[in-house]
Amino acid sequence: MAAISLRLRGLQATLRRARGHKCEPVPKAGEGAERDAIALAQAFADQRLLLPASQLCVPDSLALARSLWRRGIAADIYFGVRLAPFMAHAWVQHGDMLLSDKLNTVAEYTPVFRL
């Protein structure tokens, strides 16, 4: 759904819509939320491998974040850039915990926007 929304609506409208979904749940807190976030992110990654579509950071991050939000788990989508060579990337975090990427991948980027 996230990839289709990006194609049909564009990035700005898709992010505006995602921001509305982020406000829906009452976030869980504490250790239980961390366990739930890790379990859901792992299940998402396992299932994502079965999809024949290319892995793309923005739609994948939107889909994972929305899955977390639906279950009342707080999560943020970060958008970052690096300059040499210029590249952009998106990833999902639960507080300080990285859920969608490896730390060495994300460490190359400077966050410029958080949803």
Side-chain angles (χ1 to χ4, degrees):
M1 290 289 290
I4 293 169
S5 179
L6 284 166
R7 266 188 247 126
L8 296 177
R9 294 187 178 105
L11 182 60
Q12 184 177 4
T14 300
L15 293 179
R16 191 176 322 115
R17 185 175 166 110
R19 185 174 284 126
H21 291 289
K22 184 176 181 179
C23 297
E24 288 176 10
V26 175
K28 294 180 180 180
E31 211 173 285
E34 286 184 8
R35 268 195 311 270
D36 291 350
I38 292 168
L40 185 62
Q42 185 60 57
F44 182 88
D46 292 345
Q47 294 298 313
R48 183 62 183 92
L49 292 174
L50 301 175
L51 290 177
S54 297
Q55 292 186 351
L56 300 170
C57 64
V58 174
D60 289 351
S61 293
L62 286 165
L64 173 56
R66 189 152 182 210
S67 294
L68 291 160
W69 297 335
R70 269 194 229 127
R71 288 162 181 81
I73 301 170
D76 293 306
I77 303 172
Y78 285 83
F79 295 83
V81 296
R82 71 178 196 194
L83 297 179
F86 180 81
M87 292 183 73
H89 188 57
W91 64 91
V92 178
Q93 288 185 209
H94 171 75
D96 291 336
M97 187 184 336
L98 184 58
L99 296 175
S100 63
D101 274 283
K102 295 182 178 175
L103 184 57
N104 63 341
T105 300
V106 171
E108 297 179 16
Y109 296 88
T110 300
V112 294
F113 177 72
R114 181 182 73 170
L115 174 69

